[in-house]
Amino acid sequence: MESLGILGLGLGTVVLLLASRGILSFRPPAGKLKSRILRWSKLERALKERQRELLEDINEIVYTHDLAGNLTSLNRAGQQIIGYRQDEILGLNIAQLVTPQHQERLGKL
């Protein structure tokens, strides 16, 4: 039983030495890594495009704003409902579009 422990320790030492010398590598080859990154990047772009298409085709107002409440995007339905084009509304603060009786509710969001 004790010889198994020594054998394991010896084997572990050999693996560490080989890895430290670069002979034994636990990383995939650089070309394979680059291929994976490119594939994931292409998939991410396709998913973002699909998300954009879905948000544009929905018949509800969908918008984004930054932490200060400045609008950063508005979908096509939102532009038609509100009556602003995307280039006119970007940068406006959400408080500028909310009626006075609902202004108080903005602070609770």
Side-chain angles (χ1 to χ4, degrees):
M1 193 61 115
E2 195 174 301
S3 62
L4 287 177
I6 292 172
L7 181 63
L9 182 62
L11 187 59
T13 303
V14 170
V15 168
L16 284 175
L17 285 172
L18 290 173
S20 69
R21 297 237 185 236
I23 297 169
L24 181 63
S25 177
F26 295 107
R27 289 183 283 156
K32 212 174 198 179
L33 211 50
K34 184 177 180 182
S35 172
R36 285 181 187 171
I37 291 169
L38 289 173
R39 196 168 53 241
W40 279 101
S41 179
K42 193 182 281 187
L43 178 61
E44 182 183 21
R45 281 193 304 274
L47 288 172
K48 284 182 178 180
E49 177 62 23
R50 181 67 181 135
Q51 178 187 18
R52 188 192 62 72
E53 290 170 0
L54 288 171
L55 291 176
E56 281 301 317
D57 292 340
I58 196 167
N59 291 323
E60 301 290 328
I61 296 175
V62 179
Y63 69 93
T64 58
H65 61 81
D66 61 18
L67 294 174
N70 300 312
L71 293 170
T72 55
S73 70
L74 179 66
N75 70 337
R76 201 175 4 251
Q79 292 172 49
Q80 291 172 350
I81 293 168
I82 295 175
Y84 285 93
R85 292 187 323 264
Q86 177 104 350
D87 62 327
E88 294 174 319
I89 202 160
L90 294 185
L92 288 180
N93 194 284
I94 190 70
Q96 294 172 279
L97 300 172
V98 175
T99 58
Q101 64 264 32
H102 293 102
Q103 289 288 328
E104 184 181 315
R105 295 177 68 190
L106 280 177
K108 296 178 183 176
L109 298 178

